[in-house]
Amino acid sequence: MASSSGDDEFVVLVCSDPNNQIETDISNEEIVISTTDFSTWDYPSTLSFSTFKIQAHRNRLIEESSYFRGLLSGSFSESCLDYISIQWQLETFLNVVRCIFGFRLDITSKNFIPLFQAALYFGVEMLLMQLKSWLSEASLSKDPGLFQIQLEDLIDIWDFGLELDNGFVQEICASYLARNFMWAMSNKIFKDMPYELLLLCVKHPHLTIDSEKHLSDALLIWLHSNTEQLERSSKTECEFFDILKQIRISLLPLWFAAGKRSSISFSELANESVDSIFKLMKVTPKGSMNVLGDGDLSHLRIRLTKYSKKVDLSGCPQITPMILLLSFLPNNHNSYLALRKTIKESASNFEQADGTKCQITQSLLPTLSFEAVLEVDISGCLKLPLEDAIDYFSNSFPFLRRVKAAYLLNFKMTTLYRLIQKCSLVSEVDITVDVNPLISSQLSVISSSSAVVSMAPNRAYFVGDKFSMTSLYHLGPSPSNITKLTLEGRSDVCDSHIQYISKFCASLCYLNLKGCISVTDVCMANLIRRCTKLQSLLVCHTSFGMNSILALCNASPSFSNSPSAQFGKRPLDSLASNLQLLHMGGCKCADEASLLELLSQNQMLKSLCLRDTNLADSALCSFSGSLLEVLDVSNTMISGAALHHVVCTNPGLKCLNARGCKNLFQPENTKKEAKISSSYSCEELFIELGKTCRLEEIALGWGLSYFSLQALKPAILSLRAMTVCLGGTLPEDSLRLLPTTCPLLESLVLYFQVISDCMIINILTSLRQLRTLALCYCFGDISNSSFNLSMPNLRILKLERVTPWMTNNDLVLLARNCANLVELSLLGSKLNSDAQCIISHGWPGLISLHLEDCGEVTENGVSSLFNCIALENLLLRHNGSGIQRNFILEAASKMPMLRQVSLDVCDAKEGDFDLPDDADRYSLRIVKIARCKSTRCNVGSHFADTTRKPVHRETLVLVWNSTNVVRTVVKERL
């Protein structure tokens, strides 16, 4: 039909979808709508029609669309028509028309591509601008969920941009992915990322990651998942693996780099990384000038962007103030010159001739501020002077909230006070160290002495303690924002430190004092009265006792040790009634009466640990809570009836540890508790657990049997960790059924159970996600065929007194099939000195190694084991008397992360070991040296001679903390 003239003339756009095969009634086939009525459209119902007839202003179409401009104002025959036929996806075209007529569209990652295609085809510049604006805003988002761009949509958009050769779309996709890389790498379709997108992302200046380890993991996962793509690609395999060169290998954690030396695709870079780490650890301030050099220093810069939220440097002993400052500077030549000048000036003022002490001042450098950083982890950063680090963090991370500095003995309490003052917004601090092994009250101490330690001179940089605890306490700083404080293992923490914390950290909600053996019960009680917001309290193996329990059970924060203080009063607003987590394992100072009072007020508890306490049935039955998720009553005298009572009232229980409870399934005492039925039978506990709970972890011994496991079946379908201890008796049929009974099992620990090759093979074959396997003192005949299958997910393996036949050849087989172990414990085998080489080559990334009674592993000394440079825990006992006298000193220097060493004088080549002083110990926290005595062993009446068998005599234990070293001799073998 010919059109009439006039500015307001309409044209009818008849749009149908060529791909729509749905047959509809003729009456519902089409709908007539007008652009003048857009605001009144019923959009969902409109989309139900198969054809649209849209009355639209001709001039508007010509102005906003090059397609309609050419069609309606050119020489085409359609320019004279009132009807224009359009073949397009209906919803997309409708949105194009809406955009042309001034409506803002709801753009999402799902409709971005079809809208972009339509905008290009119809030449709608306004829509292209909206789409580009949306994509730009999405890429600038710090929250990947804000614009709801899922990774699969991002990949589709990238492919679309690549097809169009649209550099803008490609750059935006790479930028968005770079800013949100931590989110993307955790996505299950990360492996489907196109190589070009991944490469552009990794090279992007806004690449935001927590650590270089995360980038390495992500790239290795991608490469291993795209083996077939690599084979089909025209690129060579080396070209694809070149992406690994983007990793800053000098900044990898030592344990990670060491472990990857056995990786086919990463071994070369891993070796370079290890060499670089050790070189950086040896650098002095004077030597740092050579490290800086005159070239590009990007490989030494920690990746920090304005989007960084967490900085994870844990396990990096090579991190120094120089690396921190370099990372805080703008990435340009002038900044490098300024850093070199500052270091040069600082190095000219050495406090010692060898230049081992130096302070670098941040205020002289143009450092940047990263306001998004909320969390820093410097655990194991041995070369980092903490006072300097705190100064740097306070300037460059002004909104820092969480600090973790575990396993750093030089982190003194004065350092904590400095952190609280300088970084006033910090709310969570974790300065955990290994717990002193001498915490058990059952140890027989022969002698004990202590000595003050000096500041280790081997640190490359040094700043002295600028504040003392006493001065800080009396200065009266403003109250801190600390709500979560972890002091686990800090035997140097004493009452005066706790007084400071109770005064200036009154907002504490979470406090971990596990192993703080120098803090008294009275001092803990005073802290509890001051910190009225406490919800989580971990005081295992401390003096926590009646005074502290009394403070928890009393309502008044100002309550003092008055004569009227007594148990029996149960205020509704006591601190105990608000606790959600209470761990007091090993606290023998709390008697049965105090425990009864405490548990009767713990209505809100979700996690409770009463391991190795004076817990009795009366106290456990007084527990008034119904929200428990974690319960540990191991090594107590409770009965099954009392535990049954708690299970009945806590259906949300997920983790149960009742190992070592010898009375759990014994006949009940004559005296019955009111809450315990006299008709109780031991099977009722398992029946109730099966009916009520859905467990994720369980550890049981006495009373566990085939029948009890059958009753437990409904409760353990989601079980992740299972430990069967002394007293438990699971027949082979039960163990063989574990994969079907507990298909999600990740950890299996068996003590004193009957095992066989068939059973082990079935477990290892079926439970492919198993990460921990421990077979300790088990019975039965197993052979190397049990481990003749690949177990790439296994991380922890303990074989104690179950493989007496194991030889070096068997160890080679084990190393090949369990290639990713980080913890290995072998007790009782027939290895020789070549086993050291097998272990160090097969598992170069081990962090824990225990070898005891393993033949002649150390008969010729220790050499190859030093290649396990990431070891943190090492035990070598009764493996051959060839260990050199200076072994501890050498191990500490060659294994810089080593914190615990356990030896036996029987293995000493010269009859003894040299002990390290503070300057030589590096990370060492605990050294244990056992000593044996020989006893005659009669081998039978038919033999005239007797043999001598070594029997344990005593153990020397050295424990360092930030202030002193304690030397103790005990009778027990530790």
Side-chain angles (χ1 to χ4, degrees), residues 135 139-140 151 154-155 157-159 166-181 183-184 193-208:
L135 193 59
S139 72
L140 293 173
L151 189 57
L154 191 72
I155 293 174
I157 293 173
W158 161 270
D159 289 335
N166 190 308
F168 169 80
V169 172
Q170 295 174 55
E171 167 59 26
I172 291 295
C173 287
S175 174
Y176 181 81
L177 184 62
R179 297 167 196 261
N180 301 289
F181 192 82
W183 158 75
M193 187 87 62
Y195 174 79
E196 290 77 9
L197 173 58
L198 184 60
L199 181 61
L200 193 59
C201 164
V202 171
K203 290 183 175 181
H204 202 281
H206 289 158
L207 177 62
T208 303

Side-chain angles (χ1 to χ4, degrees), residues 266-454:
F266 202 73
S267 57
E268 184 177 345
L269 288 176
N271 285 321
E272 291 179 20
S273 175
V274 169
D275 291 342
S276 177
I277 290 170
F278 274 88
K279 287 179 182 177
L280 287 172
M281 288 183 63
K282 296 176 182 178
V283 170
T284 63
K286 187 174 183 179
S288 65
M289 296 297 296
N290 297 326
V291 174
L292 289 175
D294 296 320
D296 182 21
L297 302 178
S298 297
H299 66 288
L300 291 176
R301 291 175 62 92
I302 301 164
R303 296 184 200 261
L304 289 170
T305 71
K306 63 180 179 180
Y307 298 93
S308 298
K309 295 181 179 180
K310 180 178 179 180
V311 180
D312 185 358
L313 303 175
S314 60
C316 295
Q318 72 273 26
I319 299 297
T320 63
M322 178 199 71
I323 292 177
L324 277 186
L325 286 176
L326 179 63
S327 308
F328 295 155
L329 294 175
N331 191 10
N332 56 55
H333 183 66
N334 291 335
S335 298
Y336 298 160
L337 290 177
L339 179 59
R340 291 186 183 101
K341 181 180 178 181
T342 302
I343 293 178
K344 186 176 181 179
E345 293 174 353
S346 301
S348 66
N349 299 316
F350 289 154
E351 294 181 12
Q352 291 186 356
D354 60 356
T356 56
K357 297 184 179 181
C358 174
Q359 179 180 358
I360 302 175
T361 306
Q362 185 184 15
S363 59
L364 301 177
L365 296 168
T367 53
L368 301 174
S369 178
F370 302 92
E371 297 183 354
V373 173
L374 301 177
E375 183 175 354
V376 170
D377 190 344
I378 55 173
S379 302
C381 294
L382 310 177
K383 305 290 287 186
L384 189 60
L386 296 169
E387 291 80 7
D388 283 358
I390 290 170
D391 288 343
Y392 300 162
F393 294 160
S394 66
N395 290 325
S396 292
F397 303 149
F399 295 100
L400 190 62
R401 293 293 193 277
R402 295 178 291 278
V403 175
K404 186 173 182 180
Y407 309 115
L408 296 175
L409 294 186
N410 58 333
F411 199 116
K412 300 184 178 182
M413 290 305 291
T414 50
T415 313
L416 176 62
Y417 308 150
R418 182 174 181 80
L419 174 64
I420 290 174
Q421 283 193 322
K422 298 284 289 184
C423 303
S424 58
L425 296 181
V426 167
S427 59
E428 298 181 16
V429 178
D430 183 351
I431 53 174
T432 295
V433 297
D434 297 297
V435 174
N436 191 328
L438 302 173
I439 54 178
S440 175
S441 60
Q442 300 176 359
L443 293 177
S444 304
V445 177
I446 299 174
S447 64
S448 182
S449 62
S450 64
V452 177
V453 298
S454 60

Side-chain angles (χ1 to χ4, degrees), residues 629-634 643 647 653-661 664-665 682 685-691 693-705 707-726 728 730 735 738 741-742 744-751 772 774:
E629 296 178 2
V630 178
L631 177 62
D632 185 349
V633 291
S634 55
L643 186 56
V647 170
L653 195 64
K654 296 179 181 178
C655 305
L656 174 63
N657 188 344
R659 59 189 295 181
C661 296
L664 202 57
F665 301 100
C682 63
L685 172 62
F686 291 109
I687 294 173
E688 188 63 38
L689 279 168
K691 290 193 306 182
C693 304
R694 292 297 176 265
L695 296 172
E696 296 177 2
E697 297 181 21
I698 191 169
L700 288 171
W702 299 98
L704 186 61
S705 64
F707 299 104
S708 52
L709 191 65
Q710 292 301 307
L712 274 175
K713 268 188 176 181
I716 57 178
L717 284 173
S718 301
L719 201 67
R720 303 275 181 181
M722 182 177 193
T723 302
V724 182
C725 308
L726 180 64
L730 290 182
L735 293 173
L738 277 182
T741 307
C742 316
L744 303 180
L745 212 56
E746 296 177 1
S747 174
L748 178 61
V749 180
L750 301 178
Y751 287 91
T772 300

Side-chain angles (χ1 to χ4, degrees), residues 477-490:
S478 57
S480 77
N481 289 307
I482 299 293
T483 59
K484 184 175 182 179
L485 181 59
T486 300
L487 303 175
E488 183 172 322
R490 291 278 170 177

